Amino acid sequence: MNQTTGEPIAGRLASLTEPTATELAALRRQLADIADTTGILDVAYTVVDSPVGPLLLAGTERGLVRIAYRREGFDAVLQALADRLSPRILRSPGRLDAAARQLEEYFAGRRTGFDLALDFSLSSGFRRLVQQHLPDIGYGHTETYRDVAAVVGNPRAVRAVGSACATNPLPVVVPCHRVVRSDGTPGGYAGGPAAKVALLALESAA
Amino acid sequence: MDTKPPFETVVDQHGSTVLRVCRAVLGPGPDADDAWSEVFLAALRSYPELPAATNMQAWLVTVAHRKAIDIIRSRQRRATPIEAVPDTESTIGLPDRVDEQEIWQAVAALPDRQRMAVAYHYLGGLPYAGVAEELGGSTDAARRAAADGIKKLRTTVTRGGAASKGAPR
């Protein structure tokens, strides 16, 4: 809040010093760049378009830490990152360039695997174990929740595999969409059932 | 839990206010941009340790004040004149360019204390007690400095309206 109401000259001064959107955007870009190179940008993020809607990509210095669908609420996702990792968060697309490019290639059908550093610090224990196994399910293939439970050495933990998939912090890149129900139906998905079907269709078409 | 919004939100909410304050104190040039960057870098650095209840705008304005002091001191060491008038075409888009320049000149001509008091209170929203804390002296003195500054600016603008019809100085 400024105090310019009731003082015309102060109002005049406020509009005189008002930055344009372009000026402010340039300063913000520069801030993010310096913060990144000086090592005080704990989480960088950007939003990219995709055939399954806009995706938020977030990365730490260790790697890609979060991919989120819009239906998860980008503001809520960023707040959760602030609470769980660090509030030092800025929009800074540079750190996510490789991820953005590989996702674009994937959605264009030109890429079947991702070569990205991943930061699994948002998950732990059994869930992390499951999520780290998921990239072993090849492009265009699926496994059932039961299969995955068996592979990670806990055949009875079918429900836990379900929740590991549901809490996957890196959908698409960590392909939880390749885990389906035993009856062949897709099952739940953070991006919504339609997004899961779309990804499976993309991969079976290639 | 000590929950804080992502720093991006802080820049969203206070980015333009801080730039206005820096411009009013330092003139609308690269020094103001540098001060802005330093304020937000310092803020980002300390952000995790700041109490969640911190009034971010007031806190940022006080950091801006300290950066401005540094810049003004280094200007004095370099003994370069204060660059008050923008060299480039203004992008603000007000119709009366002469008036704009005159206000910038009038702002630059104010004594530091008055210019800072006006900037921190009227543009930065800092209460006079907060202004006094930054500038030293009493709350009343801060209020007077801002009032004196405003009065001078008002006089200039009133004169400026008439003067702008003649040749600019």
Side-chain angles (χ1 to χ4, degrees):
Chain A
M1 279 300 289
N2 63 46
Q3 313 277 310
T4 53
T5 41
E7 186 48 78
I9 184 63
R12 198 67 202 284
L13 191 57
S15 54
L16 196 61
T17 50
E18 171 94 46
T20 64
T22 320
E23 290 168 335
L24 210 50
L27 282 173
R28 295 179 71 157
R29 256 196 315 278
Q30 186 194 314
L31 171 71
D33 288 347
I34 300 173
D36 198 357
T37 51
T38 51
I40 54 171
L41 181 55
D42 295 337
V43 181
Y45 75 93
T46 189
V47 175
V48 298
D49 281 325
S50 88
V52 287
L55 297 174
L56 181 140
L57 315 180
T60 64
E61 290 190 316
R62 286 192 286 175
L64 190 61
V65 75
R66 187 76 167 92
I67 296 177
Y69 285 95
R70 183 160 60 184
R71 71 203 292 273
E72 299 175 74
F74 290 161
D75 286 346
V77 169
L78 289 169
Q79 186 62 59
L81 291 171
D83 294 342
R84 295 193 53 193
L85 298 177
S86 162
R88 282 180 181 157
I89 299 177
L90 285 175
R91 183 188 283 261
S92 179
R95 193 183 284 179
L96 290 317
D97 274 352
R101 195 181 56 247
Q102 292 188 22
L103 281 164
E104 200 184 318
E105 292 164 357
Y106 169 81
F107 284 116
R110 288 185 277 115
R111 171 174 285 278
T112 57
F114 293 92
D115 180 21
L116 296 167
L118 304 181
D119 180 347
F120 279 98
S121 52
L122 290 172
S123 46
S124 61
F126 184 71
R127 288 179 178 182
R128 186 191 286 211
L129 187 71
V130 170
Q131 289 159 10
Q132 284 174 330
H133 159 70
L134 296 179
D136 299 339
I137 310 173
Y139 184 90
H141 294 79
T142 56
E143 284 182 8
T144 64
Y145 293 100
R146 193 174 306 278
D147 294 337
V148 175
V151 170
V152 298
N154 200 343
R156 283 191 294 181
V158 179
R159 286 177 63 97
V161 167
S163 60
C165 290
T167 57
N168 174 14
L170 294 162
V172 186
V173 168
V174 170
C176 59
H177 59 275
R178 293 180 196 148
V179 186
V180 296
R181 290 198 183 122
S182 310
D183 64 5
T185 60
Y189 191 57
K196 188 167 186 172
V197 170
L199 295 181
L200 291 171
L202 166 79
E203 295 188 7
S204 65
Chain B
M1 197 181 119
D2 188 30
T3 179
K4 287 198 192 88
F7 194 74
E8 181 77 9
T9 311
V10 175
V11 190
D12 275 340
Q13 288 175 345
H14 307 296
S16 43
T17 298
V18 171
L19 191 55
R20 277 201 204 99
V21 168
C22 294
R23 284 176 165 181
V25 174
L26 296 166
D31 279 352
D33 290 354
D34 288 351
W36 186 94
S37 298
E38 287 188 31
V39 168
F40 280 101
L41 281 171
L44 179 60
R45 211 177 285 278
S46 335
Y47 192 53
E49 284 75 44
L50 275 186
T54 303
N55 175 339
M56 281 308 293
Q57 181 172 318
W59 188 80
L60 290 165
V61 171
T62 65
V63 178
H65 170 63
R66 282 161 216 171
K67 301 294 177 193
I69 293 277
D70 289 347
I71 288 172
I72 289 170
R73 281 194 188 131
S74 79
R75 274 175 178 176
Q76 285 163 348
R77 276 198 299 276
R78 292 197 310 265
T80 48
I82 290 178
E83 199 71 50
V85 181
D87 293 322
T88 51
E89 195 67 24
S90 167
T91 50
I92 292 166
L94 295 181
D96 40 358
R97 290 266 302 143
V98 175
D99 266 13
E100 260 185 40
Q101 292 207 7
E102 289 199 13
I103 299 176
W104 278 123
Q105 280 167 348
V107 171
L110 291 178
D112 284 353
R113 279 182 65 87
Q114 293 182 11
R115 194 170 68 255
M116 288 170 170
V118 168
Y120 304 154
H121 180 73
Y122 284 100
L123 302 180
L126 216 58
Y128 287 120
V131 177
E133 241 172 77
E134 295 312 307
L135 299 185
S138 66
T139 303
D140 276 347
R143 185 182 286 111
R144 269 198 308 279
D148 290 348
I150 286 290
K151 199 194 294 173
K152 280 187 205 158
L153 294 181
R154 203 187 288 135
T155 316
T156 311
V157 172
T158 321
R159 269 196 291 111
S164 66
K165 294 191 180 74
R169 281 173 296 151

mmCIF file with all atom_site columns, all heavy atoms in Angstrom, chain B residues 99 102 106 152-165 169:
data_model
loop_
_atom_site.group_PDB
_atom_site.id
_atom_site.type_symbol
_atom_site.label_atom_id
_atom_site.label_alt_id
_atom_site.label_comp_id
_atom_site.label_asym_id
_atom_site.label_entity_id
_atom_site.label_seq_id
_atom_site.pdbx_PDB_ins_code
_atom_site.Cartn_x
_atom_site.Cartn_y
_atom_site.Cartn_z
_atom_site.occupancy
_atom_site.B_iso_or_equiv
_atom_site.pdbx_formal_charge
_atom_site.auth_seq_id
_atom_site.auth_comp_id
_atom_site.auth_asym_id
_atom_site.auth_atom_id
_atom_site.pdbx_PDB_model_num
ATOM 1   N N   . ASP B 1 99  ? 7.174  18.684 -17.907 1.00 0.00 ? 99  ASP B N   1
ATOM 2   C CA  . ASP B 1 99  ? 6.753  18.553 -16.517 1.00 0.00 ? 99  ASP B CA  1
ATOM 3   C C   . ASP B 1 99  ? 7.469  17.407 -15.835 1.00 0.00 ? 99  ASP B C   1
ATOM 4   O O   . ASP B 1 99  ? 7.931  17.520 -14.712 1.00 0.00 ? 99  ASP B O   1
ATOM 5   C CB  . ASP B 1 99  ? 5.246  18.288 -16.464 1.00 0.00 ? 99  ASP B CB  1
ATOM 6   C CG  . ASP B 1 99  ? 4.490  19.588 -16.294 1.00 0.00 ? 99  ASP B CG  1
ATOM 7   O OD1 . ASP B 1 99  ? 5.122  20.641 -16.463 1.00 0.00 ? 99  ASP B OD1 1
ATOM 8   O OD2 . ASP B 1 99  ? 3.285  19.528 -16.010 1.00 0.00 ? 99  ASP B OD2 1
ATOM 9   N N   . GLU B 1 102 ? 10.935 18.223 -15.009 1.00 0.00 ? 102 GLU B N   1
ATOM 10  C CA  . GLU B 1 102 ? 11.005 19.191 -13.910 1.00 0.00 ? 102 GLU B CA  1
ATOM 11  C C   . GLU B 1 102 ? 10.759 18.528 -12.570 1.00 0.00 ? 102 GLU B C   1
ATOM 12  O O   . GLU B 1 102 ? 11.386 18.879 -11.574 1.00 0.00 ? 102 GLU B O   1
ATOM 13  C CB  . GLU B 1 102 ? 10.007 20.333 -14.154 1.00 0.00 ? 102 GLU B CB  1
ATOM 14  C CG  . GLU B 1 102 ? 10.472 21.208 -15.308 1.00 0.00 ? 102 GLU B CG  1
ATOM 15  C CD  . GLU B 1 102 ? 9.822  22.569 -15.328 1.00 0.00 ? 102 GLU B CD  1
ATOM 16  O OE1 . GLU B 1 102 ? 9.196  22.939 -14.307 1.00 0.00 ? 102 GLU B OE1 1
ATOM 17  O OE2 . GLU B 1 102 ? 9.929  23.246 -16.352 1.00 0.00 ? 102 GLU B OE2 1
ATOM 18  N N   . ALA B 1 106 ? 13.315 18.406 -9.582  1.00 0.00 ? 106 ALA B N   1
ATOM 19  C CA  . ALA B 1 106 ? 12.930 18.885 -8.258  1.00 0.00 ? 106 ALA B CA  1
ATOM 20  C C   . ALA B 1 106 ? 13.181 17.810 -7.199  1.00 0.00 ? 106 ALA B C   1
ATOM 21  O O   . ALA B 1 106 ? 13.655 18.098 -6.093  1.00 0.00 ? 106 ALA B O   1
ATOM 22  C CB  . ALA B 1 106 ? 11.459 19.297 -8.267  1.00 0.00 ? 106 ALA B CB  1
ATOM 23  N N   . LYS B 1 152 ? 7.982  21.521 -1.370  1.00 0.00 ? 152 LYS B N   1
ATOM 24  C CA  . LYS B 1 152 ? 8.870  21.983 -2.451  1.00 0.00 ? 152 LYS B CA  1
ATOM 25  C C   . LYS B 1 152 ? 8.468  21.401 -3.797  1.00 0.00 ? 152 LYS B C   1
ATOM 26  O O   . LYS B 1 152 ? 8.470  22.098 -4.813  1.00 0.00 ? 152 LYS B O   1
ATOM 27  C CB  . LYS B 1 152 ? 10.321 21.586 -2.149  1.00 0.00 ? 152 LYS B CB  1
ATOM 28  C CG  . LYS B 1 152 ? 10.993 22.523 -1.173  1.00 0.00 ? 152 LYS B CG  1
ATOM 29  C CD  . LYS B 1 152 ? 12.466 22.188 -1.033  1.00 0.00 ? 152 LYS B CD  1
ATOM 30  C CE  . LYS B 1 152 ? 12.987 22.670 0.321   1.00 0.00 ? 152 LYS B CE  1
ATOM 31  N NZ  . LYS B 1 152 ? 14.188 21.977 0.744   1.00 0.00 ? 152 LYS B NZ  1
ATOM 32  N N   . LEU B 1 153 ? 8.117  20.128 -3.785  1.00 0.00 ? 153 LEU B N   1
ATOM 33  C CA  . LEU B 1 153 ? 7.727  19.490 -5.052  1.00 0.00 ? 153 LEU B CA  1
ATOM 34  C C   . LEU B 1 153 ? 6.457  20.125 -5.598  1.00 0.00 ? 153 LEU B C   1
ATOM 35  O O   . LEU B 1 153 ? 6.331  20.376 -6.787  1.00 0.00 ? 153 LEU B O   1
ATOM 36  C CB  . LEU B 1 153 ? 7.510  17.988 -4.849  1.00 0.00 ? 153 LEU B CB  1
ATOM 37  C CG  . LEU B 1 153 ? 8.750  17.167 -4.489  1.00 0.00 ? 153 LEU B CG  1
ATOM 38  C CD1 . LEU B 1 153 ? 8.379  15.696 -4.332  1.00 0.00 ? 153 LEU B CD1 1
ATOM 39  C CD2 . LEU B 1 153 ? 9.838  17.332 -5.551  1.00 0.00 ? 153 LEU B CD2 1
ATOM 40  N N   . ARG B 1 154 ? 5.534  20.407 -4.680  1.00 0.00 ? 154 ARG B N   1
ATOM 41  C CA  . ARG B 1 154 ? 4.257  20.996 -5.087  1.00 0.00 ? 154 ARG B CA  1
ATOM 42  C C   . ARG B 1 154 ? 4.504  22.345 -5.744  1.00 0.00 ? 154 ARG B C   1
ATOM 43  O O   . ARG B 1 154 ? 3.945  22.668 -6.784  1.00 0.00 ? 154 ARG B O   1
ATOM 44  C CB  . ARG B 1 154 ? 3.345  21.132 -3.867  1.00 0.00 ? 154 ARG B CB  1
ATOM 45  C CG  . ARG B 1 154 ? 1.876  21.191 -4.205  1.00 0.00 ? 154 ARG B CG  1
ATOM 46  C CD  . ARG B 1 154 ? 1.047  21.492 -2.978  1.00 0.00 ? 154 ARG B CD  1
ATOM 47  N NE  . ARG B 1 154 ? 0.947  20.388 -2.036  1.00 0.00 ? 154 ARG B NE  1
ATOM 48  C CZ  . ARG B 1 154 ? 1.095  20.518 -0.717  1.00 0.00 ? 154 ARG B CZ  1
ATOM 49  N NH1 . ARG B 1 154 ? 1.377  21.693 -0.181  1.00 0.00 ? 154 ARG B NH1 1
ATOM 50  N NH2 . ARG B 1 154 ? 0.964  19.475 0.062   1.00 0.00 ? 154 ARG B NH2 1
ATOM 51  N N   . THR B 1 155 ? 5.355  23.143 -5.102  1.00 0.00 ? 155 THR B N   1
ATOM 52  C CA  . THR B 1 155 ? 5.680  24.469 -5.639  1.00 0.00 ? 155 THR B CA  1
ATOM 53  C C   . THR B 1 155 ? 6.274  24.340 -7.040  1.00 0.00 ? 155 THR B C   1
ATOM 54  O O   . THR B 1 155 ? 5.876  25.048 -7.967  1.00 0.00 ? 155 THR B O   1
ATOM 55  C CB  . THR B 1 155 ? 6.720  25.166 -4.732  1.00 0.00 ? 155 THR B CB  1
ATOM 56  O OG1 . THR B 1 155 ? 6.318  24.968 -3.382  1.00 0.00 ? 155 THR B OG1 1
ATOM 57  C CG2 . THR B 1 155 ? 6.798  26.641 -5.024  1.00 0.00 ? 155 THR B CG2 1
ATOM 58  N N   . THR B 1 156 ? 7.196  23.413 -7.200  1.00 0.00 ? 156 THR B N   1
ATOM 59  C CA  . THR B 1 156 ? 7.839  23.233 -8.503  1.00 0.00 ? 156 THR B CA  1
ATOM 60  C C   . THR B 1 156 ? 6.833  22.872 -9.573  1.00 0.00 ? 156 THR B C   1
ATOM 61  O O   . THR B 1 156 ? 6.869  23.406 -10.678 1.00 0.00 ? 156 THR B O   1
ATOM 62  C CB  . THR B 1 156 ? 8.865  22.078 -8.436  1.00 0.00 ? 156 THR B CB  1
ATOM 63  O OG1 . THR B 1 156 ? 9.682  22.275 -7.313  1.00 0.00 ? 156 THR B OG1 1
ATOM 64  C CG2 . THR B 1 156 ? 9.688  22.020 -9.701  1.00 0.00 ? 156 THR B CG2 1
ATOM 65  N N   . VAL B 1 157 ? 5.929  21.969 -9.226  1.00 0.00 ? 157 VAL B N   1
ATOM 66  C CA  . VAL B 1 157 ? 4.981  21.513 -10.235 1.00 0.00 ? 157 VAL B CA  1
ATOM 67  C C   . VAL B 1 157 ? 4.039  22.637 -10.616 1.00 0.00 ? 157 VAL B C   1
ATOM 68  O O   . VAL B 1 157 ? 3.708  22.815 -11.790 1.00 0.00 ? 157 VAL B O   1
ATOM 69  C CB  . VAL B 1 157 ? 4.199  20.289 -9.730  1.00 0.00 ? 157 VAL B CB  1
ATOM 70  C CG1 . VAL B 1 157 ? 3.099  19.929 -10.686 1.00 0.00 ? 157 VAL B CG1 1
ATOM 71  C CG2 . VAL B 1 157 ? 5.160  19.127 -9.558  1.00 0.00 ? 157 VAL B CG2 1
ATOM 72  N N   . THR B 1 158 ? 3.621  23.424 -9.626  1.00 0.00 ? 158 THR B N   1
ATOM 73  C CA  . THR B 1 158 ? 2.745  24.551 -9.927  1.00 0.00 ? 158 THR B CA  1
ATOM 74  C C   . THR B 1 158 ? 3.464  25.540 -10.833 1.00 0.00 ? 158 THR B C   1
ATOM 75  O O   . THR B 1 158 ? 2.926  25.965 -11.855 1.00 0.00 ? 158 THR B O   1
ATOM 76  C CB  . THR B 1 158 ? 2.313  25.263 -8.623  1.00 0.00 ? 158 THR B CB  1
ATOM 77  O OG1 . THR B 1 158 ? 2.077  24.256 -7.631  1.00 0.00 ? 158 THR B OG1 1
ATOM 78  C CG2 . THR B 1 158 ? 1.071  26.074 -8.830  1.00 0.00 ? 158 THR B CG2 1
ATOM 79  N N   . ARG B 1 159 ? 4.712  25.849 -10.482 1.00 0.00 ? 159 ARG B N   1
ATOM 80  C CA  . ARG B 1 159 ? 5.494  26.747 -11.335 1.00 0.00 ? 159 ARG B CA  1
ATOM 81  C C   . ARG B 1 159 ? 5.775  26.090 -12.682 1.00 0.00 ? 159 ARG B C   1
ATOM 82  O O   . ARG B 1 159 ? 5.703  26.718 -13.712 1.00 0.00 ? 159 ARG B O   1
ATOM 83  C CB  . ARG B 1 159 ? 6.830  27.080 -10.654 1.00 0.00 ? 159 ARG B CB  1
ATOM 84  C CG  . ARG B 1 159 ? 6.777  28.313 -9.793  1.00 0.00 ? 159 ARG B CG  1
ATOM 85  C CD  . ARG B 1 159 ? 8.170  28.798 -9.477  1.00 0.00 ? 159 ARG B CD  1
ATOM 86  N NE  . ARG B 1 159 ? 8.888  27.878 -8.585  1.00 0.00 ? 159 ARG B NE  1
ATOM 87  C CZ  . ARG B 1 159 ? 9.914  27.149 -8.956  1.00 0.00 ? 159 ARG B CZ  1
ATOM 88  N NH1 . ARG B 1 159 ? 10.373 27.199 -10.181 1.00 0.00 ? 159 ARG B NH1 1
ATOM 89  N NH2 . ARG B 1 159 ? 10.514 26.338 -8.107  1.00 0.00 ? 159 ARG B NH2 1
ATOM 90  N N   . GLY B 1 160 ? 6.087  24.764 -12.595 1.00 0.00 ? 160 GLY B N   1
ATOM 91  C CA  . GLY B 1 160 ? 6.465  24.023 -13.795 1.00 0.00 ? 160 GLY B CA  1
ATOM 92  C C   . GLY B 1 160 ? 5.401  24.083 -14.869 1.00 0.00 ? 160 GLY B C   1
ATOM 93  O O   . GLY B 1 160 ? 5.714  24.184 -16.046 1.00 0.00 ? 160 GLY B O   1
ATOM 94  N N   . GLY B 1 161 ? 4.122  24.030 -14.459 1.00 0.00 ? 161 GLY B N   1
ATOM 95  C CA  . GLY B 1 161 ? 3.026  24.102 -15.415 1.00 0.00 ? 161 GLY B CA  1
ATOM 96  C C   . GLY B 1 161 ? 3.126  25.355 -16.253 1.00 0.00 ? 161 GLY B C   1
ATOM 97  O O   . GLY B 1 161 ? 2.972  25.331 -17.480 1.00 0.00 ? 161 GLY B O   1
ATOM 98  N N   . ALA B 1 162 ? 3.442  26.489 -15.593 1.00 0.00 ? 162 ALA B N   1
ATOM 99  C CA  . ALA B 1 162 ? 3.562  27.758 -16.308 1.00 0.00 ? 162 ALA B CA  1
ATOM 100 C C   . ALA B 1 162 ? 4.895  27.814 -17.067 1.00 0.00 ? 162 ALA B C   1
ATOM 101 O O   . ALA B 1 162 ? 4.933  28.181 -18.242 1.00 0.00 ? 162 ALA B O   1
ATOM 102 C CB  . ALA B 1 162 ? 3.498  28.917 -15.318 1.00 0.00 ? 162 ALA B CB  1
ATOM 103 N N   . ALA B 1 163 ? 5.971  27.377 -16.382 1.00 0.00 ? 163 ALA B N   1
ATOM 104 C CA  . ALA B 1 163 ? 7.301  27.499 -16.976 1.00 0.00 ? 163 ALA B CA  1
ATOM 105 C C   . ALA B 1 163 ? 7.430  26.652 -18.233 1.00 0.00 ? 163 ALA B C   1
ATOM 106 O O   . ALA B 1 163 ? 8.149  27.012 -19.159 1.00 0.00 ? 163 ALA B O   1
ATOM 107 C CB  . ALA B 1 163 ? 8.371  27.070 -15.977 1.00 0.00 ? 163 ALA B CB  1
ATOM 108 N N   . SER B 1 164 ? 6.672  25.530 -18.263 1.00 0.00 ? 164 SER B N   1
ATOM 109 C CA  . SER B 1 164 ? 6.839  24.619 -19.379 1.00 0.00 ? 164 SER B CA  1
ATOM 110 C C   . SER B 1 164 ? 6.378  25.240 -20.693 1.00 0.00 ? 164 SER B C   1
ATOM 111 O O   . SER B 1 164 ? 6.682  24.734 -21.764 1.00 0.00 ? 164 SER B O   1
ATOM 112 C CB  . SER B 1 164 ? 6.068  23.329 -19.121 1.00 0.00 ? 164 SER B CB  1
ATOM 113 O OG  . SER B 1 164 ? 4.693  23.607 -19.100 1.00 0.00 ? 164 SER B OG  1
ATOM 114 N N   . LYS B 1 165 ? 5.618  26.349 -20.598 1.00 0.00 ? 165 LYS B N   1
ATOM 115 C CA  . LYS B 1 165 ? 5.180  27.004 -21.836 1.00 0.00 ? 165 LYS B CA  1
ATOM 116 C C   . LYS B 1 165 ? 6.348  27.753 -22.471 1.00 0.00 ? 165 LYS B C   1
ATOM 117 O O   . LYS B 1 165 ? 6.378  27.975 -23.672 1.00 0.00 ? 165 LYS B O   1
ATOM 118 C CB  . LYS B 1 165 ? 4.022  27.963 -21.561 1.00 0.00 ? 165 LYS B CB  1
ATOM 119 C CG  . LYS B 1 165 ? 2.759  27.223 -21.115 1.00 0.00 ? 165 LYS B CG  1
ATOM 120 C CD  . LYS B 1 165 ? 1.550  28.140 -21.092 1.00 0.00 ? 165 LYS B CD  1
ATOM 121 C CE  . LYS B 1 165 ? 0.292  27.409 -20.657 1.00 0.00 ? 165 LYS B CE  1
ATOM 122 N NZ  . LYS B 1 165 ? 0.286  27.119 -19.208 1.00 0.00 ? 165 LYS B NZ  1
ATOM 123 N N   . ARG B 1 169 ? 14.688 24.992 -19.347 1.00 0.00 ? 169 ARG B N   1
ATOM 124 C CA  . ARG B 1 169 ? 16.020 25.455 -18.969 1.00 0.00 ? 169 ARG B CA  1
ATOM 125 C C   . ARG B 1 169 ? 17.079 24.462 -19.377 1.00 0.00 ? 169 ARG B C   1
ATOM 126 O O   . ARG B 1 169 ? 16.906 23.277 -19.199 1.00 0.00 ? 169 ARG B O   1
ATOM 127 C CB  . ARG B 1 169 ? 16.073 25.671 -17.455 1.00 0.00 ? 169 ARG B CB  1
ATOM 128 C CG  . ARG B 1 169 ? 15.434 26.979 -17.063 1.00 0.00 ? 169 ARG B CG  1
ATOM 129 C CD  . ARG B 1 169 ? 15.355 27.056 -15.550 1.00 0.00 ? 169 ARG B CD  1
ATOM 130 N NE  . ARG B 1 169 ? 14.461 26.005 -15.044 1.00 0.00 ? 169 ARG B NE  1
ATOM 131 C CZ  . ARG B 1 169 ? 14.597 25.454 -13.841 1.00 0.00 ? 169 ARG B CZ  1
ATOM 132 N NH1 . ARG B 1 169 ? 15.559 25.809 -13.050 1.00 0.00 ? 169 ARG B NH1 1
ATOM 133 N NH2 . ARG B 1 169 ? 13.749 24.526 -13.430 1.00 0.00 ? 169 ARG B NH2 1
#
